[in-house]
Every structure is written in structure tokens, then in C-alpha cells.
Amino acid sequence: EPFVAVAALAAVAIAGGDNTALQAELLEPLVAGKLQAALAWQEQPDTADPAQAEASAEMAEHGGWALQGQKILVVPAEADGFVVSAREREGLSLFWVPREAPGMKLTPRLMTDGSHSLELTLDHVEIPPEHQLASPAVGREVLERALVHGTIAASAELLGLMDWLLQTTVEYLGTRTQFNRPIGSFQVLQHRTID
């Protein structure tokens, strides 16, 4: 939990990368429920194109990576670590950044449904070279695949919720009475139910 954010977004991004050693290290505890991962890719609320990442990754002095930039709408807010998209010299890559990484600021943001997301500010966050999860050769493709899986999973979840709400409402219309009649017999409510 949350299924879409962890299993359909972060897990698919981790599984699609070309760093098999890091995949093995992350996927086993994730599947066991001992690790919560979040995909941090979006930078602007009105942009859904993963290729427009402005966050950058440069080689650090110690041979690792230094990440700069900002990500918004990152869920779950309680994640143990983040799959962060960033642009390096050769293209878009994905990096594993642990929650406690020095230089990363996590700002909670309240969502419309009452849950929380995070805003990540990466200020020269240094990570080891083996934390590059997906190289530029596959980075964009992996991120796009994860977003497609996330969209399908979110659509299925929302469809299930809508179906349950309709069934529950129809049941209520048949049991609740007003003026000694089930309210489902009132034409205006029948029209709303059909709509």
C-alpha cells in the first residue's frame, strides 16, 4: 500500500532498470513489504511528459552522482527511498535515492483527498555510482512504461470505486423510504441513477 504508487509505479521502474544488482537489492524487500519506494518524476503540476525533466545528474568528485532539482506529487509520503528521474549528459536516467540522503529536503503537501505527498528538493545530493538504476539507454523507456502501468492501475482502481458507489447507491435507493415509498421510485432520483 498504496498499491498504485508502490507496485505499479515504483516497482515497475525498479524492475525495468538495467542495474540488475540494485534491482535484486530493492525488489526483494519491496515485495516482502519491508520497503516502500516512490517514483519521483513530476516537476510541474501541468506537465505529464517525463522527458521534460529539468533535474540534473552530474558525476561527483568521489565518482558517484550529484543530483540537483525538484520533484512534486511524490507518493507515498512515507517512502523509504525514491526512484528519481534526472537528466545527465547522455540522457534521462533513474536513480535510487534513500530517504535519509544528505542534501535532500522533503516537504509534505496535503492532497485533496486528505492524504499527503512530498515535494523533494535535491541540493547536490550525492549518491554512489551503483545507485544509477536505469542508464540513459533505457531510462526514458522505463519511466514511460512505469507511468503507463500506473495509469492502468489507477483507472482500474477508480472504475472499481465507481462501480461500488453505484451499487451501494442503488441498494440505498431501494431500502430508504420517504412518504411511505422507496426513494428509488422517485423519477428525479431514477434519472440521476441512470446518468
Side-chain angles (χ1 to χ4, degrees), residues 2 4-7 9-11 13-14 30 35-41 71-85 94-97 99 117-118 120 133 143:
V4 173
V6 176
L9 287 172
I14 293 168
L30 190 137
L35 174 75
Q36 251 192 2
L39 181 62
W41 69 275
K71 301 293 179 179
I72 62 169
L73 300 172
V74 180
V75 290
E78 307 80 23
D80 301 306
F82 308 94
V83 177
V84 176
S85 63
L94 300 179
F95 300 89
W96 174 251
V97 182
R99 184 181 190 94
S117 70
L118 288 176
L120 273 58
L133 186 60
L143 182 55

PDB file of all heavy atoms in Angstrom, residues 2 4-7 9-11 13-14 30 35-41 71-85 94-97 99 117-118 120 133 143:
ATOM      1  N   PRO A   2       0.492   2.279  -0.663  1.00  0.00           N
ATOM      2  CA  PRO A   2      -0.589   2.319  -1.637  1.00  0.00           C
ATOM      3  C   PRO A   2      -0.204   1.570  -2.908  1.00  0.00           C
ATOM      4  O   PRO A   2       0.904   1.737  -3.406  1.00  0.00           O
ATOM      5  CB  PRO A   2      -0.780   3.814  -1.903  1.00  0.00           C
ATOM      6  CG  PRO A   2       0.513   4.440  -1.559  1.00  0.00           C
ATOM      7  CD  PRO A   2       1.128   3.597  -0.494  1.00  0.00           C
ATOM      8  N   VAL A   4      -1.026   1.496  -6.210  1.00  0.00           N
ATOM      9  CA  VAL A   4      -0.649   2.124  -7.484  1.00  0.00           C
ATOM     10  C   VAL A   4       0.732   2.759  -7.381  1.00  0.00           C
ATOM     11  O   VAL A   4       1.599   2.543  -8.233  1.00  0.00           O
ATOM     12  CB  VAL A   4      -1.708   3.154  -7.930  1.00  0.00           C
ATOM     13  CG1 VAL A   4      -1.230   3.923  -9.147  1.00  0.00           C
ATOM     14  CG2 VAL A   4      -3.031   2.456  -8.229  1.00  0.00           C
ATOM     15  N   ALA A   5       0.966   3.534  -6.324  1.00  0.00           N
ATOM     16  CA  ALA A   5       2.238   4.247  -6.190  1.00  0.00           C
ATOM     17  C   ALA A   5       3.424   3.299  -6.017  1.00  0.00           C
ATOM     18  O   ALA A   5       4.476   3.499  -6.609  1.00  0.00           O
ATOM     19  CB  ALA A   5       2.168   5.214  -5.011  1.00  0.00           C
ATOM     20  N   VAL A   6       3.237   2.253  -5.226  1.00  0.00           N
ATOM     21  CA  VAL A   6       4.366   1.367  -4.919  1.00  0.00           C
ATOM     22  C   VAL A   6       4.500   0.250  -5.946  1.00  0.00           C
ATOM     23  O   VAL A   6       5.567   0.053  -6.528  1.00  0.00           O
ATOM     24  CB  VAL A   6       4.229   0.784  -3.492  1.00  0.00           C
ATOM     25  CG1 VAL A   6       5.343  -0.212  -3.198  1.00  0.00           C
ATOM     26  CG2 VAL A   6       4.259   1.902  -2.453  1.00  0.00           C
ATOM     27  N   ALA A   7       3.416  -0.486  -6.199  1.00  0.00           N
ATOM     28  CA  ALA A   7       3.505  -1.673  -7.063  1.00  0.00           C
ATOM     29  C   ALA A   7       3.434  -1.360  -8.548  1.00  0.00           C
ATOM     30  O   ALA A   7       4.073  -2.032  -9.348  1.00  0.00           O
ATOM     31  CB  ALA A   7       2.404  -2.666  -6.694  1.00  0.00           C
ATOM     32  N   LEU A   9       3.950   1.850 -10.003  1.00  0.00           N
ATOM     33  CA  LEU A   9       4.874   2.893 -10.454  1.00  0.00           C
ATOM     34  C   LEU A   9       6.312   2.564 -10.054  1.00  0.00           C
ATOM     35  O   LEU A   9       7.155   2.286 -10.900  1.00  0.00           O
ATOM     36  CB  LEU A   9       4.462   4.258  -9.887  1.00  0.00           C
ATOM     37  CG  LEU A   9       3.227   4.901 -10.509  1.00  0.00           C
ATOM     38  CD1 LEU A   9       2.809   6.146  -9.725  1.00  0.00           C
ATOM     39  CD2 LEU A   9       3.463   5.261 -11.962  1.00  0.00           C
ATOM     40  N   ALA A  10       6.589   2.601  -8.768  1.00  0.00           N
ATOM     41  CA  ALA A  10       7.970   2.416  -8.297  1.00  0.00           C
ATOM     42  C   ALA A  10       8.512   1.031  -8.628  1.00  0.00           C
ATOM     43  O   ALA A  10       9.634   0.902  -9.135  1.00  0.00           O
ATOM     44  CB  ALA A  10       8.050   2.680  -6.798  1.00  0.00           C
ATOM     45  N   ALA A  11       7.738  -0.009  -8.384  1.00  0.00           N
ATOM     46  CA  ALA A  11       8.228  -1.378  -8.626  1.00  0.00           C
ATOM     47  C   ALA A  11       8.500  -1.620 -10.107  1.00  0.00           C
ATOM     48  O   ALA A  11       9.496  -2.255 -10.464  1.00  0.00           O
ATOM     49  CB  ALA A  11       7.234  -2.404  -8.089  1.00  0.00           C
ATOM     50  N   ALA A  13       9.307   0.660 -12.299  1.00  0.00           N
ATOM     51  CA  ALA A  13      10.512   1.422 -12.646  1.00  0.00           C
ATOM     52  C   ALA A  13      11.772   0.700 -12.172  1.00  0.00           C
ATOM     53  O   ALA A  13      12.765   0.628 -12.895  1.00  0.00           O
ATOM     54  CB  ALA A  13      10.435   2.818 -12.031  1.00  0.00           C
ATOM     55  N   ILE A  14      11.727   0.140 -10.972  1.00  0.00           N
ATOM     56  CA  ILE A  14      12.883  -0.594 -10.450  1.00  0.00           C
ATOM     57  C   ILE A  14      13.147  -1.837 -11.293  1.00  0.00           C
ATOM     58  O   ILE A  14      14.277  -2.118 -11.692  1.00  0.00           O
ATOM     59  CB  ILE A  14      12.676  -0.962  -8.961  1.00  0.00           C
ATOM     60  CG1 ILE A  14      12.676   0.305  -8.101  1.00  0.00           C
ATOM     61  CG2 ILE A  14      13.756  -1.928  -8.488  1.00  0.00           C
ATOM     62  CD1 ILE A  14      12.199   0.089  -6.672  1.00  0.00           C
ATOM     63  N   LEU A  30      10.922  -4.971  -1.207  1.00  0.00           N
ATOM     64  CA  LEU A  30       9.709  -4.284  -1.638  1.00  0.00           C
ATOM     65  C   LEU A  30       8.549  -5.273  -1.733  1.00  0.00           C
ATOM     66  O   LEU A  30       7.464  -5.021  -1.217  1.00  0.00           O
ATOM     67  CB  LEU A  30       9.945  -3.593  -2.989  1.00  0.00           C
ATOM     68  CG  LEU A  30       8.835  -2.642  -3.419  1.00  0.00           C
ATOM     69  CD1 LEU A  30       9.431  -1.365  -3.981  1.00  0.00           C
ATOM     70  CD2 LEU A  30       7.957  -3.285  -4.460  1.00  0.00           C
ATOM     71  N   LEU A  35       9.964  -2.657   2.408  1.00  0.00           N
ATOM     72  CA  LEU A  35      10.491  -1.436   1.799  1.00  0.00           C
ATOM     73  C   LEU A  35       9.369  -0.749   1.037  1.00  0.00           C
ATOM     74  O   LEU A  35       8.632  -1.398   0.292  1.00  0.00           O
ATOM     75  CB  LEU A  35      11.633  -1.774   0.821  1.00  0.00           C
ATOM     76  CG  LEU A  35      12.189  -0.609   0.001  1.00  0.00           C
ATOM     77  CD1 LEU A  35      13.062   0.288   0.879  1.00  0.00           C
ATOM     78  CD2 LEU A  35      12.997  -1.116  -1.182  1.00  0.00           C
ATOM     79  N   GLN A  36       9.234   0.548   1.244  1.00  0.00           N
ATOM     80  CA  GLN A  36       8.287   1.340   0.471  1.00  0.00           C
ATOM     81  C   GLN A  36       9.085   2.272  -0.427  1.00  0.00           C
ATOM     82  O   GLN A  36       9.950   3.011   0.042  1.00  0.00           O
ATOM     83  CB  GLN A  36       7.389   2.172   1.399  1.00  0.00           C
ATOM     84  CG  GLN A  36       5.983   1.671   1.441  1.00  0.00           C
ATOM     85  CD  GLN A  36       5.047   2.649   2.120  1.00  0.00           C
ATOM     86  OE1 GLN A  36       5.429   3.738   2.534  1.00  0.00           O
ATOM     87  NE2 GLN A  36       3.807   2.255   2.238  1.00  0.00           N
ATOM     88  N   ALA A  37       8.811   2.204  -1.703  1.00  0.00           N
ATOM     89  CA  ALA A  37       9.509   3.036  -2.681  1.00  0.00           C
ATOM     90  C   ALA A  37       8.505   3.954  -3.362  1.00  0.00           C
ATOM     91  O   ALA A  37       7.327   3.621  -3.489  1.00  0.00           O
ATOM     92  CB  ALA A  37      10.207   2.161  -3.713  1.00  0.00           C
ATOM     93  N   ALA A  38       8.984   5.109  -3.799  1.00  0.00           N
ATOM     94  CA  ALA A  38       8.134   6.064  -4.506  1.00  0.00           C
ATOM     95  C   ALA A  38       8.852   6.529  -5.767  1.00  0.00           C
ATOM     96  O   ALA A  38      10.074   6.668  -5.774  1.00  0.00           O
ATOM     97  CB  ALA A  38       7.821   7.265  -3.617  1.00  0.00           C
ATOM     98  N   LEU A  39       8.086   6.749  -6.813  1.00  0.00           N
ATOM     99  CA  LEU A  39       8.625   7.266  -8.060  1.00  0.00           C
ATOM    100  C   LEU A  39       8.541   8.788  -8.035  1.00  0.00           C
ATOM    101  O   LEU A  39       7.470   9.361  -7.859  1.00  0.00           O
ATOM    102  CB  LEU A  39       7.845   6.713  -9.248  1.00  0.00           C
ATOM    103  CG  LEU A  39       8.305   7.135 -10.640  1.00  0.00           C
ATOM    104  CD1 LEU A  39       9.730   6.671 -10.910  1.00  0.00           C
ATOM    105  CD2 LEU A  39       7.355   6.579 -11.700  1.00  0.00           C
ATOM    106  N   ALA A  40       9.684   9.457  -8.175  1.00  0.00           N
ATOM    107  CA  ALA A  40       9.744  10.921  -8.163  1.00  0.00           C
ATOM    108  C   ALA A  40      10.134  11.386  -9.556  1.00  0.00           C
ATOM    109  O   ALA A  40      11.308  11.376  -9.912  1.00  0.00           O
ATOM    110  CB  ALA A  40      10.753  11.394  -7.117  1.00  0.00           C
ATOM    111  N   TRP A  41       9.150  11.767 -10.359  1.00  0.00           N
ATOM    112  CA  TRP A  41       9.420  12.131 -11.747  1.00  0.00           C
ATOM    113  C   TRP A  41       8.827  13.478 -12.137  1.00  0.00           C
ATOM    114  O   TRP A  41       9.360  14.184 -12.974  1.00  0.00           O
ATOM    115  CB  TRP A  41       8.880  11.050 -12.690  1.00  0.00           C
ATOM    116  CG  TRP A  41       7.385  10.986 -12.718  1.00  0.00           C
ATOM    117  CD1 TRP A  41       6.581  10.307 -11.848  1.00  0.00           C
ATOM    118  CD2 TRP A  41       6.511  11.654 -13.625  1.00  0.00           C
ATOM    119  NE1 TRP A  41       5.259  10.520 -12.166  1.00  0.00           N
ATOM    120  CE2 TRP A  41       5.191  11.331 -13.256  1.00  0.00           C
ATOM    121  CE3 TRP A  41       6.718  12.489 -14.718  1.00  0.00           C
ATOM    122  CZ2 TRP A  41       4.087  11.815 -13.933  1.00  0.00           C
ATOM    123  CZ3 TRP A  41       5.605  12.978 -15.399  1.00  0.00           C
ATOM    124  CH2 TRP A  41       4.292  12.634 -15.005  1.00  0.00           C
ATOM    125  N   LYS A  71      11.209  17.718  -7.342  1.00  0.00           N
ATOM    126  CA  LYS A  71      10.134  16.819  -7.772  1.00  0.00           C
ATOM    127  C   LYS A  71       8.919  17.086  -6.905  1.00  0.00           C
ATOM    128  O   LYS A  71       9.037  17.385  -5.711  1.00  0.00           O
ATOM    129  CB  LYS A  71      10.553  15.347  -7.620  1.00  0.00           C
ATOM    130  CG  LYS A  71      11.802  14.967  -8.416  1.00  0.00           C
ATOM    131  CD  LYS A  71      11.571  15.030  -9.900  1.00  0.00           C
ATOM    132  CE  LYS A  71      12.844  14.669 -10.659  1.00  0.00           C
ATOM    133  NZ  LYS A  71      12.657  14.688 -12.100  1.00  0.00           N
ATOM    134  N   ILE A  72       7.730  16.987  -7.505  1.00  0.00           N
ATOM    135  CA  ILE A  72       6.487  17.244  -6.772  1.00  0.00           C
ATOM    136  C   ILE A  72       5.575  16.021  -6.849  1.00  0.00           C
ATOM    137  O   ILE A  72       5.806  15.102  -7.647  1.00  0.00           O
ATOM    138  CB  ILE A  72       5.756  18.477  -7.321  1.00  0.00           C
ATOM    139  CG1 ILE A  72       5.354  18.267  -8.785  1.00  0.00           C
ATOM    140  CG2 ILE A  72       6.607  19.730  -7.164  1.00  0.00           C
ATOM    141  CD1 ILE A  72       4.406  19.326  -9.330  1.00  0.00           C
ATOM    142  N   LEU A  73       4.543  16.032  -6.021  1.00  0.00           N
ATOM    143  CA  LEU A  73       3.496  14.998  -6.014  1.00  0.00           C
ATOM    144  C   LEU A  73       4.082  13.590  -5.881  1.00  0.00           C
ATOM    145  O   LEU A  73       3.672  12.667  -6.589  1.00  0.00           O
ATOM    146  CB  LEU A  73       2.625  15.116  -7.270  1.00  0.00           C
ATOM    147  CG  LEU A  73       1.904  16.456  -7.439  1.00  0.00           C
ATOM    148  CD1 LEU A  73       1.228  16.541  -8.796  1.00  0.00           C
ATOM    149  CD2 LEU A  73       0.890  16.675  -6.317  1.00  0.00           C
ATOM    150  N   VAL A  74       5.013  13.430  -4.981  1.00  0.00           N
ATOM    151  CA  VAL A  74       5.660  12.136  -4.764  1.00  0.00           C
ATOM    152  C   VAL A  74       4.894  11.389  -3.680  1.00  0.00           C
ATOM    153  O   VAL A  74       4.736  11.876  -2.556  1.00  0.00           O
ATOM    154  CB  VAL A  74       7.137  12.315  -4.354  1.00  0.00           C
ATOM    155  CG1 VAL A  74       7.799  10.973  -4.126  1.00  0.00           C
ATOM    156  CG2 VAL A  74       7.885  13.127  -5.410  1.00  0.00           C
ATOM    157  N   VAL A  75       4.385  10.216  -4.018  1.00  0.00           N
ATOM    158  CA  VAL A  75       3.657   9.377  -3.057  1.00  0.00           C
ATOM    159  C   VAL A  75       4.190   7.951  -3.127  1.00  0.00           C
ATOM    160  O   VAL A  75       4.633   7.522  -4.187  1.00  0.00           O
ATOM    161  CB  VAL A  75       2.122   9.384  -3.325  1.00  0.00           C
ATOM    162  CG1 VAL A  75       1.515  10.711  -2.997  1.00  0.00           C
ATOM    163  CG2 VAL A  75       1.808   9.002  -4.749  1.00  0.00           C
ATOM    164  N   PRO A  76       4.176   7.244  -2.012  1.00  0.00           N
ATOM    165  CA  PRO A  76       3.676   7.639  -0.701  1.00  0.00           C
ATOM    166  C   PRO A  76       4.664   8.540   0.028  1.00  0.00           C
ATOM    167  O   PRO A  76       5.875   8.435  -0.149  1.00  0.00           O
ATOM    168  CB  PRO A  76       3.505   6.310   0.032  1.00  0.00           C
ATOM    169  CG  PRO A  76       4.520   5.406  -0.583  1.00  0.00           C
ATOM    170  CD  PRO A  76       4.636   5.837  -2.018  1.00  0.00           C
ATOM    171  N   ALA A  77       4.116   9.407   0.872  1.00  0.00           N
ATOM    172  CA  ALA A  77       4.949  10.348   1.616  1.00  0.00           C
ATOM    173  C   ALA A  77       5.837   9.634   2.618  1.00  0.00           C
ATOM    174  O   ALA A  77       6.843  10.171   3.057  1.00  0.00           O
ATOM    175  CB  ALA A  77       4.060  11.375   2.324  1.00  0.00           C
ATOM    176  N   GLU A  78       5.478   8.395   2.985  1.00  0.00           N
ATOM    177  CA  GLU A  78       6.241   7.637   3.980  1.00  0.00           C
ATOM    178  C   GLU A  78       7.326   6.770   3.350  1.00  0.00           C
ATOM    179  O   GLU A  78       7.925   5.935   4.022  1.00  0.00           O
ATOM    180  CB  GLU A  78       5.302   6.717   4.782  1.00  0.00           C
ATOM    181  CG  GLU A  78       4.107   7.412   5.408  1.00  0.00           C
ATOM    182  CD  GLU A  78       2.964   7.657   4.423  1.00  0.00           C
ATOM    183  OE1 GLU A  78       2.873   6.952   3.397  1.00  0.00           O
ATOM    184  OE2 GLU A  78       2.187   8.599   4.670  1.00  0.00           O
ATOM    185  N   ALA A  79       7.599   6.945   2.085  1.00  0.00           N
ATOM    186  CA  ALA A  79       8.535   6.074   1.356  1.00  0.00           C
ATOM    187  C   ALA A  79       9.913   6.045   2.016  1.00  0.00           C
ATOM    188  O   ALA A  79      10.384   7.043   2.555  1.00  0.00           O
ATOM    189  CB  ALA A  79       8.665   6.529  -0.087  1.00  0.00           C
ATOM    190  N   ASP A  80      10.546   4.874   1.936  1.00  0.00           N
ATOM    191  CA  ASP A  80      11.901   4.695   2.462  1.00  0.00           C
ATOM    192  C   ASP A  80      12.954   5.218   1.492  1.00  0.00           C
ATOM    193  O   ASP A  80      14.095   5.469   1.885  1.00  0.00           O
ATOM    194  CB  ASP A  80      12.169   3.206   2.724  1.00  0.00           C
ATOM    195  CG  ASP A  80      11.173   2.617   3.709  1.00  0.00           C
ATOM    196  OD1 ASP A  80      11.034   3.176   4.807  1.00  0.00           O
ATOM    197  OD2 ASP A  80      10.520   1.609   3.364  1.00  0.00           O
ATOM    198  N   GLY A  81      12.583   5.336   0.232  1.00  0.00           N
ATOM    199  CA  GLY A  81      13.507   5.803  -0.786  1.00  0.00           C
ATOM    200  C   GLY A  81      12.752   6.152  -2.051  1.00  0.00           C
ATOM    201  O   GLY A  81      11.560   5.859  -2.182  1.00  0.00           O
ATOM    202  N   PHE A  82      13.472   6.764  -2.992  1.00  0.00           N
ATOM    203  CA  PHE A  82      12.824   7.322  -4.173  1.00  0.00           C
ATOM    204  C   PHE A  82      13.561   6.928  -5.446  1.00  0.00           C
ATOM    205  O   PHE A  82      14.789   6.940  -5.493  1.00  0.00           O
ATOM    206  CB  PHE A  82      12.786   8.845  -4.062  1.00  0.00           C
ATOM    207  CG  PHE A  82      12.200   9.316  -2.769  1.00  0.00           C
ATOM    208  CD1 PHE A  82      13.020   9.615  -1.694  1.00  0.00           C
ATOM    209  CD2 PHE A  82      10.832   9.412  -2.607  1.00  0.00           C
ATOM    210  CE1 PHE A  82      12.484  10.025  -0.478  1.00  0.00           C
ATOM    211  CE2 PHE A  82      10.281   9.806  -1.397  1.00  0.00           C
ATOM    212  CZ  PHE A  82      11.111  10.121  -0.330  1.00  0.00           C
ATOM    213  N   VAL A  83      12.790   6.577  -6.474  1.00  0.00           N
ATOM    214  CA  VAL A  83      13.324   6.399  -7.816  1.00  0.00           C
ATOM    215  C   VAL A  83      13.186   7.766  -8.482  1.00  0.00           C
ATOM    216  O   VAL A  83      12.080   8.201  -8.798  1.00  0.00           O
ATOM    217  CB  VAL A  83      12.547   5.319  -8.596  1.00  0.00           C
ATOM    218  CG1 VAL A  83      13.086   5.205 -10.013  1.00  0.00           C
ATOM    219  CG2 VAL A  83      12.596   3.982  -7.870  1.00  0.00           C
ATOM    220  N   VAL A  84      14.310   8.453  -8.645  1.00  0.00           N
ATOM    221  CA  VAL A  84      14.309   9.845  -9.114  1.00  0.00           C
ATOM    222  C   VAL A  84      14.780   9.905 -10.566  1.00  0.00           C
ATOM    223  O   VAL A  84      15.828   9.353 -10.908  1.00  0.00           O
ATOM    224  CB  VAL A  84      15.238  10.710  -8.226  1.00  0.00           C
ATOM    225  CG1 VAL A  84      15.318  12.130  -8.755  1.00  0.00           C
ATOM    226  CG2 VAL A  84      14.757  10.694  -6.782  1.00  0.00           C
ATOM    227  N   SER A  85      14.008  10.586 -11.397  1.00  0.00           N
ATOM    228  CA  SER A  85      14.429  10.801 -12.779  1.00  0.00           C
ATOM    229  C   SER A  85      15.265  12.074 -12.841  1.00  0.00           C
ATOM    230  O   SER A  85      14.923  13.083 -12.221  1.00  0.00           O
ATOM    231  CB  SER A  85      13.218  10.917 -13.708  1.00  0.00           C
ATOM    232  OG  SER A  85      12.433  12.039 -13.360  1.00  0.00           O
ATOM    233  N   LEU A  94      17.449   7.036 -14.242  1.00  0.00           N
ATOM    234  CA  LEU A  94      16.733   6.872 -12.985  1.00  0.00           C
ATOM    235  C   LEU A  94      17.738   6.504 -11.902  1.00  0.00           C
ATOM    236  O   LEU A  94      18.642   5.687 -12.136  1.00  0.00           O
ATOM    237  CB  LEU A  94      15.660   5.779 -13.096  1.00  0.00           C
ATOM    238  CG  LEU A  94      14.572   6.000 -14.146  1.00  0.00           C
ATOM    239  CD1 LEU A  94      13.608   4.825 -14.161  1.00  0.00           C
ATOM    240  CD2 LEU A  94      13.825   7.292 -13.897  1.00  0.00           C
ATOM    241  N   PHE A  95      17.562   7.091 -10.724  1.00  0.00           N
ATOM    242  CA  PHE A  95      18.481   6.889  -9.617  1.00  0.00           C
ATOM    243  C   PHE A  95      17.715   6.496  -8.364  1.00  0.00           C
ATOM    244  O   PHE A  95      16.603   6.979  -8.127  1.00  0.00           O
ATOM    245  CB  PHE A  95      19.270   8.178  -9.340  1.00  0.00           C
ATOM    246  CG  PHE A  95      20.093   8.637 -10.499  1.00  0.00           C
ATOM    247  CD1 PHE A  95      19.569   9.489 -11.455  1.00  0.00           C
ATOM    248  CD2 PHE A  95      21.403   8.202 -10.652  1.00  0.00           C
ATOM    249  CE1 PHE A  95      20.329   9.910 -12.536  1.00  0.00           C
ATOM    250  CE2 PHE A  95      22.173   8.609 -11.721  1.00  0.00           C
ATOM    251  CZ  PHE A  95      21.636   9.467 -12.674  1.00  0.00           C
ATOM    252  N   TRP A  96      18.331   5.630  -7.553  1.00  0.00           N
ATOM    253  CA  TRP A  96      17.759   5.273  -6.252  1.00  0.00           C
ATOM    254  C   TRP A  96      18.353   6.214  -5.213  1.00  0.00           C
ATOM    255  O   TRP A  96      19.564   6.288  -5.046  1.00  0.00           O
ATOM    256  CB  TRP A  96      18.058   3.823  -5.898  1.00  0.00           C
ATOM    257  CG  TRP A  96      17.603   3.485  -4.512  1.00  0.00           C
ATOM    258  CD1 TRP A  96      18.387   3.242  -3.426  1.00  0.00           C
ATOM    259  CD2 TRP A  96      16.249   3.352  -4.074  1.00  0.00           C
ATOM    260  NE1 TRP A  96      17.601   2.975  -2.329  1.00  0.00           N
ATOM    261  CE2 TRP A  96      16.287   3.042  -2.697  1.00  0.00           C
ATOM    262  CE3 TRP A  96      15.013   3.493  -4.695  1.00  0.00           C
ATOM    263  CZ2 TRP A  96      15.135   2.846  -1.941  1.00  0.00           C
ATOM    264  CZ3 TRP A  96      13.864   3.297  -3.937  1.00  0.00           C
ATOM    265  CH2 TRP A  96      13.931   2.976  -2.584  1.00  0.00           C
ATOM    266  N   VAL A  97      17.474   6.950  -4.529  1.00  0.00           N
ATOM    267  CA  VAL A  97      17.902   7.900  -3.508  1.00  0.00           C
ATOM    268  C   VAL A  97      17.225   7.540  -2.186  1.00  0.00           C
ATOM    269  O   VAL A  97      16.000   7.662  -2.064  1.00  0.00           O
ATOM    270  CB  VAL A  97      17.550   9.356  -3.905  1.00  0.00           C
ATOM    271  CG1 VAL A  97      18.056  10.331  -2.861  1.00  0.00           C
ATOM    272  CG2 VAL A  97      18.115   9.687  -5.284  1.00  0.00           C
ATOM    273  N   ARG A  99      15.804   7.824   1.561  1.00  0.00           N
ATOM    274  CA  ARG A  99      15.097   8.932   2.214  1.00  0.00           C
ATOM    275  C   ARG A  99      16.043   9.823   3.016  1.00  0.00           C
ATOM    276  O   ARG A  99      15.875  11.031   3.058  1.00  0.00           O
ATOM    277  CB  ARG A  99      14.000   8.367   3.118  1.00  0.00           C
ATOM    278  CG  ARG A  99      13.142   9.427   3.765  1.00  0.00           C
ATOM    279  CD  ARG A  99      12.073   8.824   4.667  1.00  0.00           C
ATOM    280  NE  ARG A  99      11.137   9.846   5.083  1.00  0.00           N
ATOM    281  CZ  ARG A  99       9.993  10.139   4.486  1.00  0.00           C
ATOM    282  NH1 ARG A  99       9.631   9.467   3.418  1.00  0.00           N
ATOM    283  NH2 ARG A  99       9.209  11.089   4.935  1.00  0.00           N
ATOM    284  N   SER A 117       1.448  14.054   0.002  1.00  0.00           N
ATOM    285  CA  SER A 117       2.501  13.786  -0.974  1.00  0.00           C
ATOM    286  C   SER A 117       3.733  14.529  -0.488  1.00  0.00           C
ATOM    287  O   SER A 117       3.685  15.251   0.512  1.00  0.00           O
ATOM    288  CB  SER A 117       2.091  14.274  -2.372  1.00  0.00           C
ATOM    289  OG  SER A 117       2.060  15.682  -2.415  1.00  0.00           O
ATOM    290  N   LEU A 118       4.826  14.344  -1.193  1.00  0.00           N
ATOM    291  CA  LEU A 118       6.058  15.037  -0.845  1.00  0.00           C
ATOM    292  C   LEU A 118       6.523  15.890  -2.004  1.00  0.00           C
ATOM    293  O   LEU A 118       6.304  15.559  -3.166  1.00  0.00           O
ATOM    294  CB  LEU A 118       7.174  14.039  -0.522  1.00  0.00           C
ATOM    295  CG  LEU A 118       7.093  13.266   0.778  1.00  0.00           C
ATOM    296  CD1 LEU A 118       8.241  12.273   0.859  1.00  0.00           C
ATOM    297  CD2 LEU A 118       7.112  14.198   1.974  1.00  0.00           C
ATOM    298  N   LEU A 120      10.180  16.996  -3.214  1.00  0.00           N
ATOM    299  CA  LEU A 120      11.597  16.709  -2.990  1.00  0.00           C
ATOM    300  C   LEU A 120      12.432  17.836  -3.566  1.00  0.00           C
ATOM    301  O   LEU A 120      12.265  18.194  -4.731  1.00  0.00           O
ATOM    302  CB  LEU A 120      12.011  15.414  -3.699  1.00  0.00           C
ATOM    303  CG  LEU A 120      11.842  14.083  -2.986  1.00  0.00           C
ATOM    304  CD1 LEU A 120      10.422  13.835  -2.580  1.00  0.00           C
ATOM    305  CD2 LEU A 120      12.352  12.966  -3.844  1.00  0.00           C
ATOM    306  N   LEU A 133      19.915   3.403 -11.300  1.00  0.00           N
ATOM    307  CA  LEU A 133      19.011   2.279 -11.502  1.00  0.00           C
ATOM    308  C   LEU A 133      18.773   1.984 -12.977  1.00  0.00           C
ATOM    309  O   LEU A 133      18.707   0.832 -13.396  1.00  0.00           O
ATOM    310  CB  LEU A 133      17.689   2.582 -10.801  1.00  0.00           C
ATOM    311  CG  LEU A 133      16.629   1.520 -10.743  1.00  0.00           C
ATOM    312  CD1 LEU A 133      17.134   0.287 -10.023  1.00  0.00           C
ATOM    313  CD2 LEU A 133      15.405   2.056 -10.041  1.00  0.00           C
ATOM    314  N   LEU A 143      10.763   4.722 -17.544  1.00  0.00           N
ATOM    315  CA  LEU A 143       9.874   5.678 -16.893  1.00  0.00           C
ATOM    316  C   LEU A 143       8.519   5.720 -17.585  1.00  0.00           C
ATOM    317  O   LEU A 143       7.470   5.697 -16.928  1.00  0.00           O
ATOM    318  CB  LEU A 143      10.522   7.064 -16.884  1.00  0.00           C
ATOM    319  CG  LEU A 143       9.736   8.178 -16.192  1.00  0.00           C
ATOM    320  CD1 LEU A 143       9.376   7.812 -14.763  1.00  0.00           C
ATOM    321  CD2 LEU A 143      10.536   9.476 -16.234  1.00  0.00           C
TER     322      LEU A 143
END
